[in-house]
Amino acid sequence: MNLAIFTGRPAFPSPLYVGAPIVEAATRRRFNNYMAGVFERNYFTNNGPLVQELERKIAALHGVKYCAAVCNATIAQILLLKALDLKGEIILPSFTFIATAHACLWQNLTPVFCDISPTTLMIDPEKAEALITPRTSAILGVHLFGNVCDAPALAALAQKRHLKLLFDAGHAFACSLGDRSVGGFGNVEFLSFHATKIFGTFEGGATLTNDAELDARIKFLRNFGFKDYDDVEYMGLNGKMTEASAAMGLAALPEVSRRIERCQRTYGLFRERLNGLPGIRLHPVGEKGRGNFQYIVMQIDEKEFGVSRKVVYRVLWKENVMGRRYFYPGCHGMAFYRAAYPTPPGRLPVTDAVSERILCLPSNLKNPDRDVARIVGVLRAIHQNAKEVKQWAVQNP
Ligand code: T4K
């Protein structure tokens, strides 16, 4: 049997990750040139010229008036929640990266977790409406896996109930719903430029808004709240982006379309090869607008596939295919939130079910044709040897 759990020989000699895009030679050259300028100027942070240039370009790319670049998306979210001076409760999906929930707590907001749609895997506006109370101050939608959530329905709801509307666009760089780009939905959105994103600046993030006052407040807040050299107007923090991160961003920006095309091609290869394999469903990307294909996500139906996601995940790791369970078990299922903000069992049925089935596949492959064929070969072998694989899992807990 052709599986490492039985033969001891993994399909891939070195691990394949869900992770950072391969940085192109041209990007590396441009980065070195930008950095030469940074050393020439001897100016490394505190709203430098490269940060400002990056902000202009990111705003233009997303068709919004204002962009504030910061050191990461978690800080972007903390800053914008503070800038909006939100209080009470905030409604957000539990099916997201933990930072989305944590950042709310830094503004003393109570997170109220909302279930997701089984089709989009993003916040369900109808379920969000049912969670509104007199203490609710905002709804926070999350655009996941390179798709845009139902922002128009959330906008109608926020307007009807006089709530602020924000979006975590950490996964949605350069994405759109129809022809409406991410960045212009709600009061404000924020992006992540973490190394593992389609557009990365090592660490980094940004807020996007068409509200001049809000943008100005975020920019004060990211610089300790300084109004001028000797006075602070707000309780700010240090959220500044460095010139080195901005250099990386400016160097990578010309490649974003090609990166998306490469990811889309890899996604297409997976779709082709997975076709006909029972119990595996590839999550659609870009069906309602422009997607960025940075995450290749599948759901595994244990009954049809023969083996649970939990076991598939373990076998793939043995094969050096480092899939990730984004976002298992959902924020509400993590120890801290179970203790501090317990969610009654069964209140988030779709989140619970999906987080048991989800698996993200490696997407930044050096040789996509060869690697996709081999990854899918491993999945087929698991399915074909389901009984033995399950026995192995029981014997090797
Ligand atoms: N909102 C959403 C929806 C998010 O997904 C995130 C972050 C945020 C907000 C917050 O954004 P930031 O504050 O981070 O800007 C990773 C990332 O660290 C995190 O940014 C990302 N989402 C999340 C989905 O993934 P981990 O804990 O899974 O990271 P780690 O170290 O396990 O790495 C993930 C994979 O990437 C591994 O397979 C290794 C690979 N990798 C990692 C690094 C650091 C690389 O290939 N190159 C690298 O440089 O969180």
Side-chain angles (χ1 to χ4, degrees):
M1 192 179 313
N2 173 22
L3 282 173
I5 53 172
F6 301 113
T7 64
R9 287 188 311 278
F12 293 91
S14 49
L16 296 181
Y17 292 108
V18 176
I22 296 159
V23 176
E24 307 79 6
T27 303
R28 294 188 207 185
R29 271 197 303 278
R30 282 190 292 265
F31 174 71
N32 289 335
N33 288 339
Y34 278 116
M35 284 309 292
V38 171
F39 289 117
E40 197 62 39
R41 285 187 291 279
N42 212 40
Y43 197 85
F44 301 106
T45 184
N46 291 11
N47 205 22
L50 297 187
V51 166
Q52 292 181 38
E53 187 181 339
L54 184 67
E55 287 176 341
R56 284 193 296 276
K57 290 188 167 162
I58 301 280
L61 182 80
H62 292 88
V64 292
K65 288 189 186 151
Y66 308 104
C67 170
V70 291
C71 55
N72 60 57
T74 310
I75 294 292
Q77 188 186 339
I78 290 172
L79 290 171
L80 65 86
L81 294 173
K82 182 105 204 138
L84 287 166
D85 196 24
L86 294 179
K87 297 196 166 63
E89 295 171 356
I90 184 163
I91 296 170
L92 73 159
S94 167
F95 194 67
T96 179
F97 190 58
I98 198 66
T100 321
H102 280 350
C104 298
L105 297 186
W106 284 97
Q107 174 61 13
N108 290 324
L109 284 159
T110 304
V112 176
F113 293 120
C114 181
D115 212 357
I116 50 170
S117 141
T119 329
T120 66
L121 309 187
M122 295 182 281
I123 189 166
D124 181 330
E126 276 182 27
K127 289 176 185 158
E129 180 158 25
L131 296 173
I132 297 173
T133 72
R135 279 176 45 76
T136 309
S137 61
I139 301 174
L140 170 52
V142 183
H143 309 306
L144 271 195
F145 303 139
N147 285 319
V148 179
C149 71
D150 192 352
L154 291 173
L157 176 60
Q159 194 182 19
K160 185 169 88 175
R161 305 297 292 267
H162 309 290
L163 301 171
K164 296 287 186 208
L165 180 60
L166 336 163
F167 291 97
D168 176 340
H171 288 195
F173 191 89
C175 294
S176 73
L177 187 65
D179 56 8
R180 283 190 66 189
S181 171
V182 149
F185 294 111
N187 298 86
V188 54
E189 306 200 45
F190 60 97
L191 297 164
S192 169
F193 305 152
H194 184 260
T196 54
K197 300 292 187 266
I198 193 114
F199 171 79
T201 61
F202 308 129
E203 289 274 0
T207 59
L208 295 173
T209 183
N210 287 312
D211 180 337
E213 219 177 290
L214 183 59
D215 176 68
R217 226 172 302 142
I218 291 168
K219 283 176 177 155
F220 279 127
L221 285 169
R222 77 174 170 187
N223 187 30
F224 310 100
F226 273 116
K227 192 176 71 176
D228 57 38
Y229 274 135
D230 304 311
D231 203 6
V232 294
E233 199 163 333
Y234 306 96
M235 190 200 81
L237 47 72
N238 183 353
K240 290 169 275 125
M241 176 181 269
T242 66
E243 287 290 272
S245 281
M248 187 60 178
L250 289 167
L253 214 44
E255 302 295 333
V256 167
S257 300
R258 279 188 289 271
R259 284 187 187 176
I260 294 176
E261 277 165 27
R262 279 198 296 276
C263 288
Q264 185 165 7
R265 180 167 181 276
T266 304
Y267 178 91
L269 289 172
F270 271 114
R271 194 177 43 203
E272 239 173 77
R273 298 255 174 196
L274 286 169
N275 191 23
L277 187 54
I280 300 258
R281 189 150 43 93
L282 207 55
H283 186 58
V285 180
E287 283 192 327
K288 293 188 174 167
R290 186 175 151 102
N292 66 22
F293 296 89
Q294 76 175 70
Y295 291 99
I296 295 177
V297 179
M298 63 180 188
Q299 290 192 59
I300 301 172
D301 180 323
E302 181 178 353
K303 274 208 190 91
E304 285 180 40
F305 188 66
V307 179
S308 68
R309 187 286 311 273
K310 190 174 167 191
V311 173
V312 174
Y313 171 76
R314 288 185 57 204
V315 178
L316 286 178
W317 274 59
K318 285 268 176 206
E319 298 285 349
N320 271 339
V321 178
M322 312 325 233
R324 294 300 294 260
R325 293 174 290 190
Y326 296 132
F327 289 103
Y328 168 77
C331 299
H332 75 290
M334 303 225 176
F336 171 80
Y337 288 89
R338 286 202 314 269
Y341 301 93
T343 301
R347 202 177 68 66
L348 301 174
V350 183
T351 303
D352 289 337
V354 168
S355 67
E356 288 291 341
R357 291 197 297 255
I358 206 93
L359 194 60
C360 294
L361 293 164
S363 49
N364 300 295
L365 306 168
K366 286 216 169 93
N367 184 339
D369 293 275
R370 181 199 62 194
D371 296 344
V372 170
R374 284 164 84 179
I375 295 170
V376 176
V378 173
L379 289 168
R380 285 192 187 279
I382 298 173
H383 171 65
Q384 281 155 8
N385 301 286
K387 202 169 141 218
E388 293 83 349
V389 169
K390 284 199 290 201
Q391 265 167 12
W392 168 83
V394 172
Q395 286 157 9
N396 299 273

